[in-house]
Amino acid sequence: MNLPLDLLAAGGAPLSAATPWIAEGRGKWSRPLRFLSDSRGWVELMRLDPGVRVGRHRHTGEVHALNLDAHRRLCTGEAIGPGEYVHEPAGNVDWWQAIGDSPVVVFVVVMGAVEYLGPDGAVTRRIRTDDRVADYRRHCLATGVEPLDLMQA
């Protein structure tokens, strides 16, 4: 994968050496870059294997997403490729899927929470900043990796 940016983690370490990919389910990983203060949101890389779908969900705040590598298809049918940007306003309900032959990697800024929805529209799972921090710390503990301070000052 060729990232178009020189991404650096907290402390200036190269991202590839600084933060781990955290498995979130079959064919889905995240790599935390920053957790925003006051539980306002988080910044991460998200990677999905071809064919893997992010289920129907709602955002309580804005989301900014920049495709870094490969392609994904939004629930609207629109295909998003490398270098393409998607803004999702607060309250947006969507789903999307990795398409093509390569894993898609997306740089994502999430403000607020993400609420996964059941078929009836009821919230089945809510992910907040504190949940993302706990996932990161749990992963570091389980793998023997020293967690970085990714909290925004």
Side-chain angles (χ1 to χ4, degrees), residues 80-153:
I80 306 298
E84 293 187 297
Y85 165 82
V86 175
H87 171 256
E88 300 178 40
N92 188 61
V93 175
D94 71 315
W95 60 265
W96 56 273
Q97 183 172 14
I99 58 174
D101 298 327
S102 302
V104 65
V105 177
V106 184
F107 174 84
V108 185
V109 177
V110 178
M111 303 302 292
V114 178
E115 299 175 328
Y116 284 89
L117 306 172
D120 61 353
V123 175
T124 60
R125 183 174 177 218
R126 180 174 290 115
I127 301 172
R128 298 180 181 96
T129 307
D130 294 343
D131 300 315
R132 302 307 289 158
V133 171
D135 290 343
Y136 172 62
R137 290 184 179 152
R138 192 171 23 260
H139 178 81
C140 289
L141 181 63
T143 58
V145 173
E146 183 68 28
L148 297 172
D149 181 6
L150 298 178
M151 291 301 295
Q152 179 189 40

